[in-house]
């Protein structure tokens, strides 16, 4: 069984607040699901590097800025919960 | 004539022959929604004002094309519904989550832009499992969608509302999205046609992402012909989605030699007919396969040996990608923001309050599998198995043209039947997730009903970009 501390550690990595009750349920559910994943240990292990690179990695694009209409940009900022002068406001970090 | 029962083609003909207007059609659907949706819960938002404006404009466009002696687009004036994970400019887009309860879409998804160019009418936004995570529709923060064939049962998920609304004649067609079966599964449960296109065939710009290497948008319709019409309207390259490909869909292979049932090689994976499948589902699917054989198709037993690992592989990869994708819902950029003492506290509280149980579970699985010490055993391992699953299909398609199998091992389940046991819910996706892992197109075709009157779907899987072959064969079996 996955420990309460481990659930709390993962939740903090995910920036997720969980109640005591949720932590208990999560221990049970994650344990069951992770046990199911053990099935993968039975899978074949020899996969060549080349095959492993195929498929999804092909459609790459340049990392470049694609301009957006001013109207859309304004709407995007407007959707933020807290904003000022066209910028999204965040709480003090340090 | 009951306007809400028409297919796209029939409605188009009616508009062309001035039997009715798009406003007539739209009002008929809005009335139907008012009448039945209180109980079904297929819609989260009904965009009545937008729909009527679009209908008026469509009628003007139809009148103008007639005056000029020209045709108007097939979808012009046709009322449809959109899964509430796809953005429609100026309308709410909740992903069925409390965290986006009041979020208004700032722009149109590319698929919406394309539909609007054709002059479509948007009736509303449909219910789904929160952030498209689920197979039953019960993970919606706004209550489950009920199955129109039996209201004590689920509509299937995650595109629960999109399938139910088409089955209940609350829309002429709809759009859904499919990450691990979310178009095909509800289509099977509700008796609609649902097409999950090849990865890259349709732009996902404006779709709230779940598992980005798996997600695809596709149509849910009343028949195969309509699925082809809608797919043709939404597919193609988009500069806003780098994974979209320049794909020229060749319409209507129907009747051509290359897709006649006569001589077609149909693969039936032996791993898909094992214990766990409902005997009635198996019987209905097998009798359709027999029907194809009688029409001249060659049935070939094939093996997809890594099938048993596909579900575990999927339930690692999809949550890993989801945990990264959902990190943006942090109480700062958009949606629910719960105040806290510092920035970290805002993150913790906003996510803690905003997300439902299943979304939290998937974020936890994904974060765990990507965390230091577990990455190799889970994420890396799953990526390797994904390659094996792809290879299984590649080998199969050397021998066969299409693959026939069930969509789901069971017909629509009872509401509440599996909600306490997440793993048993995941097992419903056992026949659908491999298609997403391999990036293939798959279609759910209604082929029969159980004794209790529940629809059963046949899944037709094709090789990459073989939608036309799938559609042509499906229309012969319809």
């Amino acid at each position: 069984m996955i420990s309460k501390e481990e659930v709390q550690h993962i939740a903090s990595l995910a920036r997720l607040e969980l109640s005591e009750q949720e932590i208990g349920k999560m221990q049970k559910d994650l344990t069951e699901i992770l046990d199911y994943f053990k099935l993968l240990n039975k899978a074949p292990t020899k996969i060549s590097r080349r095959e492993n690179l195929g498929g999804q990695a092909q459609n790459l694009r340049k990392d470049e800025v694609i301009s957006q209409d001013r109207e859309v940009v304004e709407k995007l900022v407007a959707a933020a919960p807290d904003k000022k002068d066209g910028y999204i406001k965040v709480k003090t970090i340090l | 004539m009951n306007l809400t029962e028409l297919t796209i083609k029939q409605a188009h003909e009616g508009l062309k022959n001035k039997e009715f207007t798009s406003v007539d059609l739209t009002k008929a659907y809005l009335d139907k929604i008012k009448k039945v949706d209180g109980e079904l819960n297929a819609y989260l938002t009904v965009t009545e004002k937008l729909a009527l404006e679009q209908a008026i404009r469509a009628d003007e466009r139809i009148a103008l094309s007639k005056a000029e002696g020209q045709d108007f687009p097939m979808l012009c004036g046709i009322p449809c519904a959109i899964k509430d994970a796809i953005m429609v400019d100026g309308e709410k887009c909740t992903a069925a989550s409390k965290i986006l309860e009041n979020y208004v879409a700032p722009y149109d998804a590319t698929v919406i832009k394309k539909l609007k160019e054709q002059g479509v009418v948007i009736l509303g936004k449909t219910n789904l499992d929160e952030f498209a995570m689920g197979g039953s529709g019960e993970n919606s923060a706004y209550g489950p969608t009920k199955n129109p064939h039996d209201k004590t049962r689920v509509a299937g998920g995650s595109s629960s509302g999109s399938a139910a609304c088409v089955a209940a004649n609350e829309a002429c067609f709809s759009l859904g999205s499919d990450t691990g079966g979310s178009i095909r599964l509800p289509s099977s449960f509700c008796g609609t046609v649902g097409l999950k296109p090849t990865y890259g065939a349709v732009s996902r710009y404006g779709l709230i992402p779940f598992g980005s290497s798996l997600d695809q948008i596709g149509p849910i319709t009343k028949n195969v012909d309509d699925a082809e019409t809608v797919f043709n309207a939404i597919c193609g390259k988009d500069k806003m989605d780098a994974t979209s490909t320049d794909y020229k869909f060749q319409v209507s292979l129907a009747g051509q030699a290359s897709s006649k049932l006569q001589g077609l090689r149909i693969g039936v994976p032996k791993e898909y007919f094992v214990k766990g499948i409902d005997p009635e589902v198996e019987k209905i699917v097998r009798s359709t396969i027999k029907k194809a054989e009688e029409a001249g198709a060659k049935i070939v037993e094939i093996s997809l040996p890594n099938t048993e690992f596909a579900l575990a592989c999927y339930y690692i990869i999809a949550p890993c990608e989801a945990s990264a994708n959902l990190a943006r819902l942090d109480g700062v950029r958009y949606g629910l923001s719960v105040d806290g003492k510092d920035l970290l506290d805002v993150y913790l509280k906003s996510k803690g309050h905003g997300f439902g149980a299943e979304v939290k579970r998937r974020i936890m699985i994904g974060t765990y599998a990507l965390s230091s010490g577990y990455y190799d055993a889970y994420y890396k391992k799953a990526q390797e198995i994904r390659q094996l699953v792809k290879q299984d299909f590649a080998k199969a398609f050397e021998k066969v043209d299409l693959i026939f199998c069930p969509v789901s091992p069971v017909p629509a389940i009872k509401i509440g039947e599996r909600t306490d046991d997440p793993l048993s819910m995941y097992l419903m996706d056992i026949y659908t997730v491999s298609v997403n892992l391999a990036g293939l197109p798959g279609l759910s075709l209604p082929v029969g009903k159980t004794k209790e009157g529940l629809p059963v779907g046949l899944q037709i899987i094709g090789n990459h970009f073989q939608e036309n072959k799938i559609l042509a064969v499906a229309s012969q079996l319809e």
Side-chain angles (χ1 to χ4, degrees):
Chain A
M1 180 102 159
I2 181 168
S3 72
K4 188 178 163 185
E5 289 69 33
E6 211 165 353
V7 169
Q8 281 168 327
H9 172 63
I10 301 298
S12 75
L13 288 176
R15 304 284 184 265
L16 201 58
E17 188 179 77
L18 298 178
S19 67
E20 277 299 314
Q21 201 191 343
E22 283 178 313
I23 290 170
K25 178 85 165 66
M26 204 63 89
Q27 275 182 274
K28 181 184 159 283
D29 291 345
L30 289 191
T31 302
E32 197 187 342
I33 293 162
L34 293 172
D35 275 350
Y36 179 69
F37 291 165
K38 284 189 187 139
L39 178 70
L40 297 185
N41 296 332
K42 275 170 54 191
T45 46
K46 282 208 169 169
I47 298 163
S48 75
R49 182 117 192 101
R50 189 175 162 71
E51 281 167 335
N52 204 10
L53 285 172
Q56 246 71 327
Q58 285 156 2
N59 294 320
L60 297 176
R61 62 164 173 82
K62 280 187 204 148
D63 191 12
E64 59 191 352
V65 176
I66 298 174
S67 68
Q68 188 60 275
D69 290 344
R70 186 166 184 82
E71 194 200 343
V72 176
V73 174
E74 281 168 7
K75 283 199 235 174
L76 288 171
V77 176
D82 201 4
K83 57 251 162 196
K84 196 183 174 188
D85 302 335
Y87 291 94
I88 294 170
K89 224 176 126 186
V90 294
K91 283 205 181 288
T92 313
I93 296 168
L94 292 172
Chain B
M1 175 171 32
N2 189 339
L3 294 183
T4 62
E5 284 173 12
L6 303 176
T7 63
I8 294 173
K9 278 245 166 91
Q10 289 165 340
H12 178 80
E13 286 303 310
L15 291 169
K16 203 161 144 183
N17 301 328
K18 288 190 181 170
E19 290 166 44
F20 45 80
T21 64
S22 175
V23 171
D24 293 336
L25 265 180
T26 304
K27 283 184 173 162
Y29 278 111
L30 290 170
D31 282 348
K32 180 88 183 180
I33 294 168
K34 272 173 204 154
K35 226 176 277 169
V36 305
D37 208 58
E39 195 179 3
L40 284 181
N41 201 25
Y43 282 89
L44 293 178
T45 310
V46 178
T47 54
E48 184 165 350
K49 191 167 161 269
L50 172 69
L52 289 170
E53 281 168 12
Q54 287 176 324
I56 290 167
R57 261 181 282 145
D59 283 333
E60 287 167 1
R61 184 166 168 186
I62 292 166
L64 189 69
S65 352
K66 270 191 207 145
E68 290 173 349
Q70 283 177 352
D71 283 340
F72 55 94
M74 187 58 84
L75 295 175
C76 184
I78 306 293
C80 69
I82 309 295
K83 185 177 187 177
D84 206 21
I86 300 171
M87 301 215 281
V88 176
D89 189 11
E91 302 296 340
K92 278 212 277 187
C93 195
T94 69
S97 179
K98 288 286 178 195
I99 210 165
L100 290 176
E101 191 168 9
N102 297 307
Y103 180 68
V104 174
Y107 56 87
D108 277 329
T110 298
V111 288
I112 299 301
K113 214 166 147 187
K114 289 189 173 205
L115 291 182
K116 281 184 175 174
E117 278 162 15
Q118 286 226 1
V120 89
V121 172
I122 296 171
L123 295 164
K125 307 294 297 291
T126 53
N127 205 352
L128 64 149
D129 284 292
E130 184 178 0
F131 287 102
M133 295 175 188
S136 72
E138 291 166 292
N139 295 325
S140 166
Y142 306 99
T145 301
K146 290 175 184 160
N147 193 309
H149 298 272
D150 177 349
K151 295 184 187 81
T152 66
R153 291 175 188 271
V154 304
S158 69
S159 308
S160 52
S162 290
C165 77
V166 172
N169 294 323
E170 291 180 277
C172 192
F173 75 91
S174 68
L175 291 185
S177 65
D178 190 314
T179 305
S182 286
I183 288 174
R184 290 159 288 156
L185 191 66
S187 289
S188 175
F189 282 9
C190 290
T192 52
V193 173
L195 173 67
K196 181 259 165 207
T198 307
Y199 186 78
V202 177
S203 166
R204 296 159 311 147
Y205 180 64
L207 167 70
I208 294 175
F210 164 13
S212 301
S213 75
L214 305 154
D215 298 340
Q216 237 344 245
I217 295 172
I220 296 175
T221 56
K222 291 177 184 176
N223 67 13
V224 175
D225 204 19
D226 285 357
E228 180 173 293
T229 301
V230 179
F231 175 64
N232 191 33
I234 60 174
C235 69
K237 175 88 183 155
D238 174 17
K239 73 175 193 314
M240 303 306 278
D241 179 354
T243 64
S244 65
T245 47
D246 198 8
Y247 169 34
K248 304 267 182 298
F249 176 62
Q250 196 193 342
V251 257
S252 236
L253 276 184
Q256 289 189 22
S258 64
S259 30
K260 279 246 169 77
L261 274 169
Q262 177 72 44
L264 191 82
R265 297 166 305 167
I266 295 171
V268 178
K270 64 176 184 205
E271 292 85 358
Y272 282 45
F273 293 90
V274 288
K275 73 172 170 53
I277 186 169
D278 179 280
E280 269 195 285
V281 170
E282 175 164 5
K283 198 173 148 225
I284 291 167
V285 169
R286 285 211 186 270
S287 84
T288 309
I289 293 170
K290 187 102 184 101
K291 203 171 121 191
E293 190 173 23
E294 282 159 13
K298 190 166 174 278
I299 308 299
V300 185
E301 188 187 80
I302 56 164
S303 174
L304 302 170
N306 293 290
T307 294
E308 66 165 315
F309 308 119
L311 192 75
C313 171
Y314 172 84
Y315 273 99
I316 292 171
I317 290 174
C320 283
E321 295 183 9
S323 70
N325 274 327
L326 297 187
R328 74 190 71 185
L329 291 140
D330 56 5
V332 172
R333 293 168 173 86
Y334 23 55
L336 179 77
S337 185
V338 180
D339 202 21
K341 60 182 192 306
D342 53 22
L343 188 62
L344 179 62
D345 206 32
V346 172
Y347 290 163
L348 291 168
K349 290 204 164 90
S350 300
K351 287 168 187 283
H353 283 76
F355 289 134
E358 180 62 23
V359 174
K360 285 179 179 168
R361 209 148 37 224
R362 304 238 187 153
I363 290 174
M364 291 291 287
I365 298 169
T367 307
Y368 182 88
L370 289 172
S371 66
S372 170
Y374 297 107
Y375 178 90
D376 283 356
Y378 292 100
Y379 186 69
K380 191 161 165 270
K381 181 81 188 169
Q383 289 293 10
E384 287 170 359
I385 291 165
R386 184 173 188 170
Q387 294 307 314
L388 297 175
V389 171
K390 276 187 192 172
Q391 285 167 23
D392 282 356
F393 280 107
K395 276 184 202 144
F397 283 120
E398 284 169 9
K399 279 183 268 174
V400 300
D401 299 298
L402 293 174
I403 293 171
F404 279 17
C405 61
V407 175
S408 162
V410 288
I413 57 170
K414 290 265 186 197
I415 292 172
E417 191 180 313
R418 298 191 186 197
T419 37
D420 288 335
D421 185 359
L423 193 60
S424 77
M425 196 72 98
Y426 298 173
L427 287 166
M428 264 182 352
D429 300 342
I430 194 123
Y431 302 138
T432 49
V433 294
S434 298
V435 165
N436 300 74
L437 290 171
L440 297 166
L443 177 130
S444 175
L445 179 73
V447 289
K449 280 186 178 173
T450 64
K451 286 186 202 88
E452 287 184 88
L454 302 172
V456 171
L458 167 79
Q459 182 170 214
I460 307 179
I461 303 167
N463 211 343
H464 297 107
F465 301 106
Q466 299 267 302
E467 280 85 353
N468 45 14
K469 196 174 277 182
I470 294 175
L471 290 161
V473 168
S475 80
Q476 291 166 71
L477 290 168
E478 208 168 22

